[in-house]
């Protein structure tokens, strides 16, 4: 679960990581009553990065300038996300920009600390173009990230004096935040030099979804698309991808295997929906409706292994409101004869072999694109 910058900074404040004085607004008029000192920086609160480049971050020297910027940014669309809130903070006079992050390295199976003197810009770009400018420390989970690790990392990016001391304090604190709050990423970019001190000008924190339940005090941010909301409301698990083949299956394992088979034969799943065990005709009807609504879907692949789920219920769910696109159905298990009869009567061919069915759906999509 991604936190907004202002939410991440509330955490920073709790852990005494230095941030700018600021507040969050949703309406233009809220700028009037602020007791902050100009110049102010106005920052779009969206869960996507690169807000600066997208025009979502502006400095204002006066109230009238602040209103002008706020008017432009509120409601702005940044990479598909509409700006509803602005963080308004006292602008920092930035000397240099550093980068600091703790992130779960899945290969090393531990947190790693990453630092760079090339802060302020996309760290992926730094990694690609000048990998030598990135310093890393993999953290032994039993030892933790100790002050001496902070000093090594800080010296590697050429910090000294009060800046190095600040760096040690901020990095050890950020590590503690990561572990305590179950963050899979905690990033400060830029970690800026202001005067002779370090300040967290930006903040990005992602909480491990599997640990969110352990943190009732953290905010809950929904990142669901409209269709994901619809599916959730119907109690169906649905996930969007960006291909052109919609996928419905029953049971997480079968659905994952279906995605793999389709990919194996060169197809690209557009989404997938798990109707779960014991799916009813109504569940199936809703499932077809949801996956077919996604734009860019050109074929539907239904892969059902009937156990508690009955193939005749599935078949009736499909035929009661067939999708407006080509469809391939693989159906075996409980009541499969009846299921097959219902689908056949509706002119739908049923496969028993999932690989054959997957190949068929991929060739349908390919055939149409040629
Ligand atoms: P991002 O673009 O979403 O990563 O947002 P950031 O908060 O990192 O801001 C992008 C850039 O805007 C920073 O790298 C800074 O150069 C600039 N910026 C942000 N806040 C301030 C500020 O308080 N003062 C100054 N001078 N520049 C700022
Ligand atoms: Mn940033």
């Amino acid at each position: 679960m991604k936190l907004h910058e202002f939410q991440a900074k509330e955490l920073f404040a709790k852990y005494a990581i230095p941030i700018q004085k600021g507040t969050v607004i949703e309406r233009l008029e809220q700028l009037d009553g602020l007791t902050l000192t100009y110049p102010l920086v106005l920052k779009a609160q969206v869960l996507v990065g690169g807000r600066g480049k997208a025009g979502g971050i502006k400095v204002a020297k006066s109230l009238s300038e602040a209103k002008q910027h706020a008017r432009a940014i509120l409601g702005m669309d940044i990479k598909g996300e509409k700006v509803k809130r602005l963080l308004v903070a006292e602008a920092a006079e930035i000397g240099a920009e550093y980068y600091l992050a703790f992130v779960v390295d899945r290969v090393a199976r531990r947190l790693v600390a990453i630092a760079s003197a090339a802060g302020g810009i996309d760290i992926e770009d730094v990694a690609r173009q000048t990998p030598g400018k990135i310093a890393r420390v993999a953290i032994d989970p039993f030892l933790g990230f100790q002050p001496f690790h902070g000093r090594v990392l800080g010296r590697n990016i050429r910090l000294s004096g009060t800046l190095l001391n600040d760096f040690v304090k901020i990095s050890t604190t950020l590590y503690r935040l990561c572990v305590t709050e179950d963050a899979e990423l905690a990033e400060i970019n830029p970690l800026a030099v202001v005067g002779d001190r370090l300040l967290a000008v930006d903040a990005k924190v992602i909480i491990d979804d599997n640990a969110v339940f352990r943190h009732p005090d953290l905010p809950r941010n929904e990142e669901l698309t409209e269709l994901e909301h619809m599916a959730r409301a119907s109690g169906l698990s649905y996930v969007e991808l960006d291909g052109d083949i919609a996928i419905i299956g029953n049971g997480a394992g079968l659905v994952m295997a279906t995605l793999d088979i389709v990919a194996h034969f060169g197809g690209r799943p557009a989404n997938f929906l798990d109707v779960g065990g014991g799916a009813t005709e109504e569940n199936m009807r809703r499932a077809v409706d949801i996956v077919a609504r996604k734009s860019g879907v050109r074929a539907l692949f239904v892969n059902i292994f009937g156990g508690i789920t009955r193939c005749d219920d599935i078949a009736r769910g499909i035929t009661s409101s067939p999708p407006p696109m080509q469809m391939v159905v693989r159906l075996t298990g409980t009541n499969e004869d009846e299921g097959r009869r219902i689908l056949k009567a509706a002119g739908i061919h049923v496969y028993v072999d999932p690989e054959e069915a997957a190949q068929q759906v991929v060739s349908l999509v390919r055939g149409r694109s040629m």
Side-chain angles (χ1 to χ4, degrees):
M1 176 182 72
K2 287 183 187 162
L3 297 187
H4 283 287
E5 177 191 7
F6 75 94
Q7 296 165 334
K9 283 184 170 170
E10 279 167 17
L11 269 184
F12 282 13
K14 193 171 136 192
Y15 284 78
I17 293 172
I19 56 168
Q20 290 143 282
K21 199 170 156 199
T23 187
V24 176
I25 65 163
E26 291 177 6
R27 287 170 294 109
L28 216 56
E29 309 82 69
Q30 288 173 284
L31 285 168
D32 289 318
L34 298 185
T35 55
L36 300 170
T37 310
Y38 285 87
L40 299 180
V41 59
L42 286 80
K43 311 181 77 176
Q45 296 300 288
V46 285
L47 295 169
V48 292
R51 296 165 303 163
K53 267 185 238 159
I57 294 180
K58 293 276 187 246
V59 176
K61 293 192 198 72
S62 64
L63 177 61
S64 70
E65 212 182 324
K67 288 201 169 171
Q68 202 179 316
H69 289 318
R71 197 173 289 123
I73 302 172
L74 280 169
M76 182 187 271
D77 192 278
I78 300 184
K79 299 179 187 169
E81 209 183 317
K82 215 180 173 90
V83 181
K84 292 191 207 121
R85 280 176 294 215
L86 291 183
L87 172 60
V88 183
E90 294 185 352
E93 217 168 294
I94 296 177
E97 299 189 321
Y98 289 84
Y99 177 95
L100 171 66
F102 287 87
V103 61
V104 173
D105 181 328
R106 290 178 198 283
V107 177
R109 297 201 287 180
R110 51 189 60 192
L111 280 165
V112 295
I114 298 171
S116 175
I121 50 174
D122 226 339
I123 195 68
E124 282 83 3
D125 292 341
V126 181
R128 217 173 300 121
Q129 288 151 19
T130 47
K133 286 193 179 160
I134 295 179
R136 284 168 56 103
V137 173
I139 303 156
D140 182 321
F142 292 105
L143 184 58
F145 185 85
Q146 300 291 337
F148 75 85
H149 290 125
R151 274 192 294 278
V152 169
L153 200 59
R155 284 206 192 96
N156 270 342
I157 58 171
R158 310 216 179 289
L159 289 172
S160 60
T162 51
L163 293 180
L164 181 60
N165 287 344
D166 278 359
F167 185 82
V168 171
K169 203 158 167 197
I170 292 171
S171 56
T172 48
T173 310
L174 192 62
Y175 174 74
R176 188 160 49 84
L177 180 153
C178 240
V179 173
T180 312
E181 307 293 338
D182 290 311
E184 58 186 37
L185 172 78
E187 181 189 78
I188 306 177
N189 186 27
L191 177 61
V193 177
V194 179
D196 61 348
R197 306 304 298 264
L198 288 177
L199 181 74
V201 165
D202 194 5
K204 182 172 177 187
V205 170
I206 303 177
I207 306 295
D208 181 343
D209 284 331
N210 299 301
V212 167
F213 79 98
R214 300 211 290 193
H215 304 281
D217 293 343
L218 287 178
R220 295 288 186 268
N221 294 330
E222 292 271 12
E223 291 172 72
L224 301 180
T225 65
E226 200 181 319
L227 292 176
E228 283 167 346
H229 266 296
M230 256 176 88
R232 181 177 282 196
S234 299
L236 300 165
S237 327
Y238 169 73
V239 174
E240 301 211 324
L241 302 166
D242 51 16
D244 49 15
I245 300 174
I247 290 173
I248 296 175
N250 63 324
L254 180 64
V255 173
M256 292 300 116
T258 308
L259 293 168
D260 284 346
I261 306 172
V262 167
H264 174 75
F265 288 113
R268 289 170 53 246
N271 52 20
F272 61 89
L273 189 150
D274 176 6
V275 285
T280 60
E281 177 182 336
E282 178 57 18
N283 286 153
M284 192 59 201
R285 201 188 53 71
R286 284 219 188 102
V288 172
D289 179 47
I290 289 169
V291 298
R293 272 175 200 250
K294 178 156 193 280
S295 69
V297 170
R298 298 165 65 200
L300 167 62
F301 182 20
V302 178
N303 188 6
I304 299 285
F305 187 85
I308 301 169
T309 302
R310 292 169 26 180
C311 292
D312 54 323
D313 284 340
I314 295 294
R316 271 188 288 268
I318 294 171
T319 52
S320 67
S321 68
M325 65 219 18
Q326 299 185 83
M327 178 171 45
V328 172
V329 181
R330 180 261 178 162
L331 196 63
T332 53
T334 310
N335 290 4
E336 66 176 64
D337 292 340
E338 178 64 3
R340 202 168 294 141
R341 194 193 58 74
I342 294 166
L343 289 170
K344 208 169 175 185
I348 301 166
H349 177 71
V350 179
Y351 292 81
V352 176
D353 178 1
E355 291 195 15
E356 205 183 313
Q359 270 173 294
Q360 173 62 15
V361 75
V362 171
S363 72
L364 279 179
V365 169
R366 284 234 185 99
R368 278 178 55 170
S369 66
M370 276 194 282

